[in-house]
Amino acid sequence: MTRRVLTRWLIVLLGLHGLVVCAGFFSPYNPAEQDRNHVYLPPQLLHLVDPTGHLHFRPFVYPWKLRPDTPDLREEDTAHPLPLRFFVNGAHYRLLGVFPARLHLFGGEDTRICLLGTDAYGRDQFSRFLYGGQISLLAGFLGAALTLLLGTLVGSVAGYFGGLIDDALMRFAELFLALPWLYLLFALRAFLPLAVSPLKAFFLIIGVIGAVGWARPGRLIRGVVLSAKERDFVRAARGFGATDRYLLWNHVLPETRGVILTQAAILIPQFVLAEMTLSFLGLGVPEPVPSWGNLLSNLQQYSVLVSYWWMYLPALLMVPFFLGYLGLASSLQERTETYMIERRSLGGVT
Amino acid sequence: MQPLLNVENLVKRYDGKRLVALQDELSALDGVSFSLFPATTLAVVGESGSGKSTLALCLACLEPPTAGCIWLEGKNLVALGEAERRKVRPQIQLIFQDPANSLNPRWNVLEILTEPLRLQGKFNSEGIERRASCLLEQVGLSMHIATRSPAELSGGQRQRLAIARALAPGPKLLILDEALSALDCSVQAQIANLLMELQTSLGMTYLFITHDLAMGVHIADEIAVMHQGRIVELGPAEKIVTSPHHEMTRQLLAATPSIAQATRLAREP
C-alpha cells in the first residue's frame, strides 16, 4: 500500500522534473528572446472549437488585438486563428546542456504563441518558467545534498562516538539552529561586489543555504545512529574484530537511509523556496537568467500586480512541484516507520 | 589443568562521562571472581538486573570494566589497548538473546555468516564459501537458505545461524547470553542439545547465562548464582540444587517447579 503511494508520487515528480530538465524541447522559445512589440501580452488560451461551432482536432489560439475604443484593453482576434504546429524546428538549444538541437514540442507558424503571456520585455513566460525551474530546482538539489552530507557527517560522528565529542557537536548545532539564515545571507551578500556573475551567485546561494541547514538533519541522524549502534548486530560485528569505520559504514549508516531520504524530500522544496526568496529580493541569480524567484520578482511592482494578472501564473504552476515533494516526504516517512515496526515485531519475546 | 579464563574481582560501574551527570553511579558488577576450565560449561544464573549481561559484555571486551582482571590463557584482557583488544575479541564470542536483533536484517544468510571470515581476511572467496557451508552443516542448516534474509527464517534457524556465525572466527570461549530465552520449549531443547554436541566435537568452552535454573542445571557443569552484581554462590550443578546456601539460590530453586519437585521427592523417603 505505502509502496504504491510512494511510486505514484515518484512518477508525478519524475514527470514534472522531466518537463524542466528537457525545457529546451517543451518550451517553444529561447527564454531570453525579447519581442518589444508584444509586451505584457495576456496568455493565449488553447481552443478546439471555432466561433461557428466547428470542432478542430488541431488546437489553435487567437492573436490579441487592441479593442477599438480603448487605449490598452485587448481582445481575441477571432478572425485570424493561429493553429499550433507540433514538433517544429525553432530556436537552437542544448538538450540536457549537451546535445545541440532545435526541435520543439510545439510552436506557431509565423506569429509567436505565448501560453502564459509575455513579460515587460515581451519574453515568453512559459519558456521562462521551464528554464527557470532548471536553476531553482538544481539549487534545491545541490543545497539539500550539501546539507545532508554535512548533517550525516556530523550526526554520525556525534552519535557514534558520543561523550564529549557529541556534547560539543550538538551545542555547535544548536548555535546553527538559532542562526537566522536569511539575514546571514543578506550579510554575506553585502560583502560581495554588487554585480556578480550568474554562475558565482548560483554557487554562493547553494553554499550558504547548504552550509547553514545541516543542524536539523544532523540531529535527526544522530538519534538514529545512537539507537543503531546499540543494536546487537553491531555489537556482534565488533566482536569479530571490526573497526569503528567498518561498523559505521556497513551497519550503522545503512540504518539512517530512511531518515536521509525523508529529509531530502523535505529539504529540496525548502531550498527551492530559499532560492526563490533570494532571487525575488534580487540577491540571487541575476537577470536575464530566468529562475522562479526572478519570474516572481516582477510582482514587486504595483502596476504589474494590478494590471497583469497572468504574471501570477508561474507561482500557480509551481504548486504541483511542492505538492509532489510533500506527498513524497510523507509516504517516505510512513515507509520508514512501518519498516521499524515490522522489524520490532519480528523479535518475539524480549 | 590450567583454567582457560580467570576472572578476578571484576567491577563495572556506569557513570555518565558527560558535562552534566544525570544520575549517581550504578554498580552493575561488584567484585566478580571465577575460573573457567577448557571444554566445560559454567552457568551464570540470576534474576534480571543482577549484572549477568554486563558480565557478558565485559568478558567479550565490548565494555571496559572499571576494575579487576580478566585472564585469558595468561593474558590480562583489561590491560590491553584498543588495537590489541580488537585482535582478542574474535576469541571470545557472544551469542545474544534475540537473534532477530543480532542478525542484520538488511543482509542475507550468507553475508551474515561470512562477515567474521571477511573481517579476518584470511580466506579467499572460494575458501569463504567452503567454510560457510561447513559451518552451516555443523549447526544443522544447509546452503539452501544462503540467499534468504533473517526475517524469512524461523526463530530456531536464526539462533542456529547466530551460533554458526559465532563459531566462524574459531573462538575459545562462547558466551551465551540468554541465548535460549527467546525460543519456544521444543526449540530450546534442540538448541541446547546442539550446544552440547558442539562441546563434545569441538571441545568448546561455554559461559551460559540464564535466568532459568533448570536449563542451567541441565547444560552446565558448574553454576554461579548472581545477585546484585556479585556471585553469591558457586559450585557444581548437583550441589547447588541439593544443598543451596544462599537465600537467592533458594528463591531461584523455588521458582523452578521441575527442580523444586525433584528435590522434594528426593527428600521424602
Side-chain angles (χ1 to χ4, degrees), chain A residues 163-164 166-167 231-233 235-243 246 250-251 254-255 257 339 343 346-347 349-350, chain B residues 17-19 57 62 86 89-90 93 96 98 100-107 115-116 119 151 158 165 169 182:
Chain A
L164 286 173
D166 184 23
D167 275 339
R231 296 183 58 118
D232 284 343
F233 62 76
R235 283 205 177 118
R238 188 191 291 285
F240 305 138
T243 57
Y246 172 93
N250 290 283
H251 286 296
E255 295 291 302
R257 203 177 55 192
Y339 176 68
R343 257 209 346 227
L346 197 126
V349 195
T350 306
Chain B
K17 254 188 216 153
R18 288 266 158 174
L19 295 178
L57 290 176
L62 294 174
R86 202 163 61 231
R89 278 186 195 127
Q93 283 298 307
F96 298 89
D98 185 0
N101 209 6
S102 68
L103 309 172
N104 191 335
R106 293 172 194 275
W107 292 11
E115 187 181 29
L119 277 166
R158 271 185 230 143
R165 181 179 64 168

